[in-house]
Amino acid sequence: MTRKLLIDTDTASDDAVALIMALREPEVDVVAITVVSGNVPVDLGVRNALYTVELCGAATPVFRGSEAPLLRPIYHSWAFHGRDGLGNMNYPAPASEPAPGDAVDALIDAVRANPGITLVTLGPLTNVALALQRAPEIAQRVERCVVMGGVACTVGNITPAAEFNIWCDPDAARAVFHSGMPVEMVGWELSRFAAALDPDDIARIRALGTPLADFALDCNRITLEAHERLTGARALDLPDPVAMAVALEPEICTRRRSHYVDVETESDLTRGMVVIDALDSGDQADDWPEGGPLISRTTKIGVCWRIDAAAFKRRLVSALS
Ligand code: RIB
Ligand code: CA
């Protein structure tokens, strides 16, 4: 049976590879791509999404969404993706235009028309939060909402406390995480270490000799340099493709638990931190004598703690072959 997907993205280089994975998946129908400001300005994100759709020979509609976070100033991660979001490769302009209408309306319409759809979010959650504000009932019509975002009790990439997508629009993230939407959080840490493409992986992908393989590596050349500068590891982390792999093949997440979570929206120091009740003390709260652990019983979401890195890489190579 064909699975329906809607992808919300701030289309830069790793997003583009995630789009390719979905667009090239035989059993998946990507009903729409909605673009949000994040890595790059929304119009550049639209351009990069259209270019990627054309590269895959697809005709998926791309909708222009939020130009800025709900409350925070606009911030773009140029240093991680380049001034064009695609490794400064200066690819030609796409031939196609964005679909008419607003991305938030398109997201609501897509969920209403496809109950049981899977949402995959690859950027800040501004569009999704606005959609939930306008149509709260969509939270119950989505089967899965796989979110590339946050880090599960470990160091972040935009600050020590936070991962970029959640940090960029923490108010939107908090609203989405507390909406009752069936969120599955796939944190940045899962794209590091064993899941990051090492020089051998990169050589293997380059040896595929396909336009998609060359595109995936070329447009992520700045990301590779940035990841090495940030972490010291000579490897390419691809967080959006990891989240997309989990969306397409849930078994790739080998350890998933539901926990109470909350998102820091007050502090500058820990803005965008996803605070996870990893010990599930919230479940034990009634069992403790006075003075037990303090945890706010908010809403539980699914957190992916571990992935099968080899399976992720197999899926990635297959999509680029
Ligand atoms: O922190 C990684 C996330 O931020 C990825 O989605 C990447 O594309 C950037 O948006
Ligand atoms: Ca992204």
Side-chain angles (χ1 to χ4, degrees), residues 260 281-286 295-299:
Y260 291 114
S281 56
D283 286 336
Q284 316 161 21
D286 299 332
I295 182 71
S296 64
R297 281 187 178 178
T298 53
T299 312

Coordinates of all heavy atoms in Angstrom, one line a residue, residues 260 281-286 295-299:
Y260 N 7.8 12.3 29.0 CA 7.4 13.7 29.1 C 8.6 14.6 28.6 O 9.8 14.3 28.9 CB 7.2 14.0 30.6 CG 5.9 13.4 31.2 CD1 6.0 12.4 32.2 CD2 4.7 13.7 30.7 CE1 4.9 11.8 32.7 CE2 3.5 13.1 31.2 CZ 3.7 12.2 32.2 OH 2.6 11.6 32.7
S281 N 10.5 10.0 35.7 CA 10.1 10.3 37.1 C 8.7 10.8 37.1 O 8.0 10.7 38.1 CB 11.1 11.3 37.6 OG 11.1 12.5 36.8
G282 N 8.2 11.4 36.0 CA 6.8 11.9 36.0 C 5.8 10.7 36.2 O 4.8 10.9 36.8
D283 N 6.2 9.5 35.8 CA 5.3 8.4 35.9 C 5.3 7.9 37.4 O 4.4 7.3 37.9 CB 5.8 7.2 35.0 CG 5.4 7.5 33.6 OD1 4.5 8.3 33.4 OD2 6.1 7.0 32.7
Q284 N 6.4 8.2 38.1 CA 6.6 7.7 39.5 C 6.1 8.7 40.5 O 6.2 8.5 41.7 CB 8.0 7.4 39.8 CG 8.8 6.6 38.7 CD 10.3 6.8 38.9 OE1 10.8 7.1 40.0 NE2 11.1 6.6 37.8
A285 N 5.7 9.9 40.0 CA 5.6 11.1 40.9 C 4.7 10.7 42.1 O 5.0 11.1 43.2 CB 5.0 12.2 40.1
D286 N 3.6 9.9 41.9 CA 2.7 9.6 43.0 C 3.4 8.6 44.0 O 2.9 8.4 45.1 CB 1.4 9.0 42.4 CG 0.7 10.0 41.5 OD1 1.0 11.3 41.8 OD2 0.0 9.6 40.6
I295 N 9.2 17.1 38.3 CA 9.1 17.0 36.9 C 7.7 17.5 36.5 O 6.7 17.2 37.2 CB 9.3 15.6 36.3 CG1 9.3 15.6 34.8 CG2 8.3 14.6 36.9 CD1 10.4 16.3 34.1
S296 N 7.7 18.4 35.5 CA 6.3 18.8 35.1 C 5.7 17.8 34.2 O 6.3 17.3 33.2 CB 6.5 20.2 34.3 OG 7.2 19.9 33.1
R297 N 4.5 17.3 34.5 CA 3.8 16.3 33.7 C 3.2 17.1 32.5 O 2.1 17.6 32.6 CB 2.8 15.6 34.5 CG 3.3 14.6 35.4 CD 2.2 13.8 36.1 NE 2.6 12.8 36.9 CZ 1.7 12.0 37.6 NH1 0.4 12.3 37.5 NH2 2.2 11.1 38.4
T298 N 4.0 17.1 31.4 CA 3.5 17.8 30.3 C 2.8 16.9 29.3 O 1.8 16.3 29.6 CB 4.7 18.5 29.6 OG1 5.6 17.5 29.3 CG2 5.3 19.6 30.5
T299 N 3.4 16.6 28.2 CA 2.9 15.7 27.2 C 4.0 14.7 26.8 O 5.1 15.2 26.7 CB 2.4 16.4 25.9 OG1 1.6 17.5 26.3 CG2 1.6 15.5 25.0

